[in-house]
Amino acid sequence: MKARGAKAAPAGAAPSVAEQLGLQPGQSLALLQELHILTREGRINQDSRRKLKQVTHLVQFITPILHELAQDGHAPLLADHGAGKSYLGFILYDLFFKALGRGEIHGIEWRAELVQRSQQLAQQLGFARMHFWSMAVADAAQQAGMPERFDVVTALHACDTATDDAIAFGLQKRARAMVLVPCCQAELAAGLRQNKALQLARTPLAELWRHPLHTRELGSHLTNVLRCLYLEASGYQVTVTELVGWEHSMKNELIIARYTGQKKRSAQERLLAILDEFGLRATLGPRFGVLPAPAQG
């Protein structure tokens, strides 16, 4: 393959492609072309520009965690759930794992054709420590041959309940960090719709989800709140922020969880209280480690 990313242009010269795209020093333009983010002429369309910006920002959040975990010769293992075309995995390998010389990335994606394409590209590039699994995220934790423990679990726009499955995977694999950008999630909104009439009669707060659009938006927000409480109750310190500007993605919430081992009882209590307040314990409780309410009488 050709040389890596272009060097900075001399003073007064037109900015290089790498500078225009805000790439990191040494980042491979050839890789971005192989991923079809850039054309062979170095051009990029608006959709690819947004995609690259999202992945680049996420890499900037993940690499400091990896640097910390790689101290003392440790070989960090990263699981990328809902990997799709593995943009995140390939760029992370290019910018971090390749130079480190140790550690592995495992991309998990249910679409077999995308997995096959990623395997071929990794072989072509000589990215020998990238591995790809063709399966649903929910099945990955029980897969034979999968490492027993991972250091970092990521999920960029893993749709519907796949983010919850990635969290469950991270808990089972005792991940030291999880970096998640949730996508659409309809499960909680369906629960809100199911009990809407009862809740409208019980509390004026049900006006928050009376209209279908509000049901969807509140459902998405509540899902992420419950995810954060679940992580805190499981021993993680949680930070919630924006990934990029809203002009680049409407699904823009970034959840970073670092394992401390200190399980917050207050988080567990509030998780339970929210499920009960919205009438969701029976349908969603098991997903967040909450048992059904005891039978009355």
Side-chain angles (χ1 to χ4, degrees):
M1 295 181 65
K2 295 182 180 180
R4 295 174 64 83
K7 298 180 180 179
S16 66
V17 172
E19 290 172 322
Q20 292 176 41
L21 297 176
L23 303 184
Q24 297 188 34
Q27 187 168 353
S28 173
L29 292 176
L31 171 61
L32 299 181
Q33 290 170 332
E34 293 292 344
L35 292 172
H36 303 293
I37 292 175
L38 287 180
T39 67
R40 294 299 173 188
E41 296 75 30
R43 298 192 180 94
I44 185 170
N45 62 35
Q46 193 58 34
D47 182 61
S48 293
R49 187 181 296 274
R50 283 194 297 267
K51 196 172 300 179
L52 178 60
K53 192 173 186 68
Q54 292 169 38
V55 172
T56 299
H57 276 231
L58 192 55
V59 166
Q60 290 171 352
F61 283 103
I62 296 171
T63 48
I65 297 172
L66 289 170
H67 277 294
E68 179 184 327
L69 296 175
Q71 293 178 4
D72 301 322
H74 179 66
L77 297 183
L78 181 144
D80 180 23
H81 285 279
K85 296 179 181 178
S86 292
Y87 294 141
L88 176 61
F90 278 110
I91 292 175
L92 270 173
Y93 197 100
D94 180 49
L95 290 174
F96 179 80
F97 284 88
K98 188 174 182 179
L100 184 68
R102 59 183 185 274
E104 299 175 1
I105 293 177
H106 291 254
I108 300 164
E109 169 58 46
W110 67 271
R111 289 167 289 186
E113 68 276 11
L114 297 185
V115 171
Q116 183 179 14
R117 190 181 308 165
S118 294
Q119 289 171 332
Q120 291 171 347
L121 181 56
Q123 184 176 10
Q124 174 186 332
L125 296 170
F127 288 7
R129 288 173 284 111
M130 289 191 77
H131 310 280
F132 302 93
W133 303 81
S134 178
M135 66 183 64
V137 176
D139 300 329
Q142 310 303 326
Q143 176 64 34
M146 186 77 69
E148 293 184 2
R149 187 168 185 176
F150 278 89
D151 296 291
V152 180
V153 171
T154 66
L156 173 58
H157 294 162
C159 287
D160 206 15
T161 58
T163 298
D164 301 297
D165 294 331
I167 291 173
F169 177 95
L171 293 177
Q172 184 166 335
K173 296 295 186 178
R174 297 171 290 165
R176 297 167 69 181
M178 301 191 214
V179 183
L180 312 165
V181 182
C183 194
C184 50
Q185 216 277 19
E187 188 178 40
L188 193 147
L192 291 175
R193 284 192 294 270
Q194 183 179 358
N195 300 313
K196 186 179 296 187
L198 176 64
Q199 295 298 327
L200 280 167
R202 186 179 72 86
T203 172
L205 285 177
E207 291 293 335
L208 292 173
W209 68 95
R210 179 162 64 92
H211 298 287
L213 176 62
H214 294 162
T215 304
R216 185 187 69 192
E217 295 303 317
L218 180 64
S220 178
H221 178 64
L222 267 180
T223 298
N224 289 338
V225 169
L226 292 170
R227 287 165 171 163
C228 292
L229 288 171
Y230 184 37
L231 286 164
E232 289 177 334
S234 301
Y236 288 80
Q237 181 183 46
V238 176
T239 302
V240 181
T241 187
E242 292 180 0
L243 175 62
V244 290
W246 291 102
E247 70 275 15
H248 296 288
S249 175
M250 292 302 293
K251 302 299 181 183
N252 196 37
E253 187 168 335
L254 171 63
I255 300 171
I256 302 175
R258 303 289 301 270
Y259 186 72
T260 65
Q262 298 179 354
K263 300 181 179 182
K264 293 181 66 174
R265 180 185 299 176
S266 61
Q268 180 67 27
E269 292 170 349
R270 290 175 180 179
L271 171 62
L272 179 58
I274 290 174
L275 288 171
D276 284 341
E277 179 65 28
F278 288 88
L280 296 167
R281 191 203 281 210
T283 54
L284 288 186
R287 183 173 295 283
F288 298 105
V290 175
L291 297 176
Q296 299 295 321

